[in-house]
Amino acid sequence: MDMNFLAVALGGAIGAAGRYAISLMPVKAEFPVLTLITNVLGAILIGFIAGVAAGNADTSENAVLFWKTGVCGGFTTFSTFSLEALTLLEKKAYLAGSCYIILSVVFCLAGVICGRRLAMLLH
């Protein structure tokens, strides 16, 4: 197995376990506060990792894949979305960044609706 895949798989397992651990916190609320916390923590983590990797040429590709794609991806893909959207906006690609944000939210909500309806058809 390629070491890149192994790094992503191991990081993903750790990130997914972390996300699950947060979901077990005894919080009773209508608002999805634990998901919000997960997404914000993931965004902070991926921002930190991207900043460290950008400022350190010695950072290994496997380490970046482990942390960004693996841990952050397993923890929350919202962190990746946030980093990519910010990167587009920082590059002054305002139209592309805005479209990416809007299309991601709209299409992903539509995807959930479609998936639910498909599941209902199968029941």
Side-chain angles (χ1 to χ4, degrees):
M1 175 183 280
D2 184 296
M3 288 305 292
N4 290 344
F5 280 98
L6 189 59
V8 170
L10 181 59
I14 292 168
R19 179 177 65 221
Y20 178 65
I22 289 175
S23 76
L24 296 177
M25 293 173 67
V27 174
K28 303 273 190 232
E30 290 291 319
F31 186 81
V33 67
L34 295 178
T35 301
L36 178 62
I37 289 168
T38 300
N39 288 336
V40 170
L41 288 174
I44 292 167
L45 182 60
I46 203 168
F48 177 78
I49 294 161
V52 168
N56 186 356
D58 294 333
T59 305
S60 76
E61 179 184 8
N62 280 341
V64 173
L65 284 170
F66 172 83
W67 285 104
K68 278 177 58 178
T69 307
V71 174
C72 289
F75 192 65
T76 169
T77 56
F78 193 79
S79 58
T80 303
F81 160 75
S82 300
L83 178 62
E84 291 171 343
L86 180 63
T87 299
L88 286 169
L89 296 174
E90 286 177 339
K91 290 180 177 178
K92 298 189 180 356
Y94 300 119
L95 180 60
S98 298
C99 286
Y100 180 57
I101 292 165
I102 292 166
L103 292 173
S104 292
V105 172
V106 170
F107 286 160
C108 288
L109 287 172
V112 170
I113 292 167
C114 289
R116 280 186 168 180
R117 289 188 178 160
L118 180 61
M120 284 193 220
L121 291 174
L122 297 175
H123 282 256

